[in-house]
Amino acid sequence: MKQQGVHPEDAESTSGASSRPDTARAGGKDPEGAAAGEEEQVGKGSGTGPEAGETAGRDAEEAYADEVEGDEPLLPARVHRPSDLVRVLVGVLGIVLLLAVAAFAHGTTSGLEQDINKGTGQAPDVFSKIAGLVSSIAILLVPVAFAIERLIKRDGLRIADGVLAAVLAHGVTLATDLWVARAAPESIRDALTQPSPGDVGSLTDPVHGYLAPVIAYMTAVGMSRRPRWRAVLWAVLVLYAFSMLVTGYTTPFSILLTLLIGWAVAYGTLYAVGSPNVRPTGRTLMAGLRHVGFRPVSAAREEVADAQETATDRGRRYFVTLEDGPPLDVTVVDREQQAQGFFYRAWRNLTLRGFATRSSLQSLRQALEQEALLAYAAIAAGANAPKLIATSELGPDAVMLVYEHTGGRTLDSLADDEITDDLLRDTWLQVKALQSRRIAHRRLVGDAILVDRSGKVIITDLRIGEIAANSLLLRMDISQLLVTVGLRVGAERAVASAVGVLGPDAVADCLPMLQPIALSRSTRATLRRLARERAEREREAVLEASRLSKQARSEETAADAGIESDKPDKKTVRAQARAEKRALDEALDDAREEDLLTLIRHEVLRIRPQAPVEPARLERVRPRTLISFIAGAIGAYFLLTQLTHIEFGPLVANAQWGWVAAAVLFSAASYFAAAMALLGFVPERVPFRRTVAAQVAGSFVKIVAPAAVGGVALNTRFLQRAGVRPGLAVASVGASQLFGLGCHILMLLAFGYLTGTEKTPSLSPSRTVIAGLLTVAVLVLVVTSVPFLRKFVVTRVRSLFAGVVPRMLDVLQRPQKLITGIGGMLLLTACFVMCLDASIRAFGSEGTSLSIASVAVVFLAGNALGSAAPTPGGVGAVEATLTVGLIAVGLPSEVAAPAVLLFRLLTLWLPVLPGWLAFNHLTRKGAL
């Protein structure tokens, strides 16, 4: 790589041979072992130039070798590279895709094999025989020759890695051969094997048991990273594959599968045992600086506080002092750092619209060129940014960027009283200068804003920025800096300082970007921590108010007891309960705090009331949508496999339509039962007919949201519109859900026991009850033994008791309400069970019907999984669970599948249109 900036006469690569021995001295390792055989690449060109001779470089480095301050501790001999794990996953994905094509695209594979066999069959026999002989010999001699070359250069550890990878690859090939021969689908077996030419009646090997180990060995020892050996390797592999295809001893898919297995096993071995550590140390950095014309005296590693995001985005930084001239700031980026955060960046690139992070597979040269370009562009725009004066390589696995030393402290390290209005104004002026040339920083967090000794603000960490940025990225920079400053000085000062420099319109335009997903990773973590602290303060305030109310009530009761011995009447008890409830509501209102993003929105809207506040749609794919799609695809695949063996024509013709009508009636009755189950936990008066309409509207809502989420949100909204206070509405719905969960578990255990007493072969009372109890016991033990889970459950339970329990006290004072709620829950379950039973009887004969207890067990289990599934309405999960459950309790599959489809049609799909009409009607009436 050419050095950029000053010293053009020393533009050769800095990875000379003089730097490698000092790397070994710094790490305490043998130079050949630590360098992993890279000397043939890094030893060229190091002796050129009158001022950069090899002897002079070594003498100079030895003179200052002991003056590296703050360098890394003794580096480990081996490191687990994230890049190796990425390659393993890519290899496994390739194997899965290859097998999927072989399994489902049988016609394509057959045509491809015929075309390849036809093409290879036209090759002359002499050439085929020569190619087979040469490749058979070379495929064994090439690895041996490379092993001898490595042993001569004392790199035996890498040879050991290769041998281990070869052994593991051989084991994987044996397992694959066994799976293909005994358990694989016929289409995969046909794609990977063919009749053996040398043995009539037998098939060729699906995977080449000697080629995969050779590939794993050569990949693990690093032959592919050496141009000459790589050329020899590919020539041998091509000759071998050609000869095997011509002679008919393999198939194209078998060759590809062998290559992928060897490649994936090799990198899996390297990631498991670790690769030789070749990360450059501070001493290697000093040698590299001398090769670009500097004369360093010492190098001190800069300490970083939070390594999760900083280490991956900033690289390792050093403060370097020179013999003559001002000190330098040097950033070192190596391949290991480039691979860190790969999965996070890949996910962001997949799910976000138009503002994804830098390329997930960015090379070192690309990283260096991008940072250099941003540094020059920022200075040209008039912003205060570190001046880049040189760039160069530090061997084949690292690069360095040399800046003029800026000094100073980051915004995060400043005390609150040091963050003045002038400093904030200067910060926004730098951002304004960048945005005037359409430069996006992409990471305006506290450690990217530097304040020098004179108080001048310097924008650093331009590595992931962009030039010619679109308006979306520029607005995101403003919103990110608003949050960064707001975390230190509050929303009011943050907005005022931004408006004073950028103007109210520019700040108002960033409001749609003011959402967590548009912020940096560290900022989101800070906001989540502050949200947990606010929630904890609110819970503490509610619990304290509850304690004081109970104490006051107990004192009042004791005082009354001293005056008269009669028990307090119901009116007094109700008055005390209302007073306690009112105290809890007032305490919650007083303790409620708004988050920083909301406060910033309010400040901007106070200045520009007409500013857009609707958050912009920044997500391309949401995790919930992706999970729902995958779960739905799995459920659809399962149902299709069950339905392919069923003839629906005769089945529908012989259906008993009286039972179909009964199933329709039971499905319709479930909405009245759901309304009873909700109103039983609402002491306030709410119209019953409108509540039934809300439950019908829920049939539409649960199609576009998971059932456990959409129903809760709709009922809560409905109660609020009906005049119930928001906190009480949430508590009522929560109490209904809590009682429903308890009834569900009790009914599942009870019906499971009844099913077992009927001597059903698939379910026995002892196994069902004991298995359920053991499962609950194991879950309780796991939760209580893991601190994180224990704290999570305790906080949720405390919040539940803070809101639901006071609401339950109101319900308990009205027994008729409690009876209505519990009765509605039991009736709701009964309606669904009877609907499923009627659906079964509609398609089954007299001898195929099941007992009500068995049907209830299957429904309760399927409904539980449906509520837990992330798909809308439990699509896929409920169908699969109900079908498997009915088959397990003895129902034929040709009856179970259509019965489940009819049940889901009546309870999920047909009510969607009435639900949509009810939803629109209630919305127009102001009830939703």
Side-chain angles (χ1 to χ4, degrees), residues 350-409:
L350 173 67
T351 58
L352 302 185
R353 298 172 180 266
F355 68 100
T357 57
R358 61 184 172 88
S359 174
S360 302
L361 296 175
Q362 192 179 40
S363 66
L364 284 174
R365 178 178 288 273
Q366 289 174 329
L368 184 144
E369 291 174 349
Q370 180 178 2
E371 185 166 353
L373 177 62
L374 265 295
Y376 294 142
I379 294 177
N384 296 329
K387 183 179 180 181
L388 181 67
I389 57 178
T391 61
S392 185
E393 291 180 342
L394 290 179
D397 295 311
V399 295
M400 69 173 181
L401 298 100
V402 184
Y403 294 92
E404 287 185 351
H405 177 64
T406 54
R409 294 178 295 167

Side-chain angles (χ1 to χ4, degrees), residues 390-456:
T391 61
S392 185
E393 291 180 342
L394 290 179
D397 295 311
V399 295
M400 69 173 181
L401 298 100
V402 184
Y403 294 92
E404 287 185 351
H405 177 64
T406 54
R409 294 178 295 167
T410 64
L411 183 67
D412 288 340
S413 63
L414 295 178
D416 293 341
D417 56 355
E418 294 180 285
I419 304 179
T420 62
D421 292 339
D422 291 338
L423 188 146
L424 296 178
R425 176 180 174 79
D426 195 7
T427 302
W428 286 107
L429 286 173
Q430 307 311 312
V431 175
K432 183 178 181 180
L434 293 177
Q435 300 217 342
S436 66
R437 301 295 177 87
R438 306 200 69 81
I439 300 174
H441 187 281
R442 306 292 304 275
R443 192 177 172 274
L444 285 171
V445 295
D447 58 9
I449 302 171
L450 199 67
V451 182
D452 64 8
R453 297 179 182 85
S454 63
K456 183 175 68 174

Side-chain angles (χ1 to χ4, degrees), residues 601-622:
R601 291 190 190 97
H602 290 169
E603 289 296 325
V604 176
L605 291 174
R606 188 173 58 84
I607 299 173
R608 276 288 186 270
Q610 69 276 16
V613 295
E614 185 69 22
R617 176 69 185 275
L618 302 177
E619 289 179 295
R620 182 185 294 113
V621 179
R622 296 184 179 181

Side-chain angles (χ1 to χ4, degrees), residues 595 614 835:
D595 62 285
E614 185 69 22
C835 181

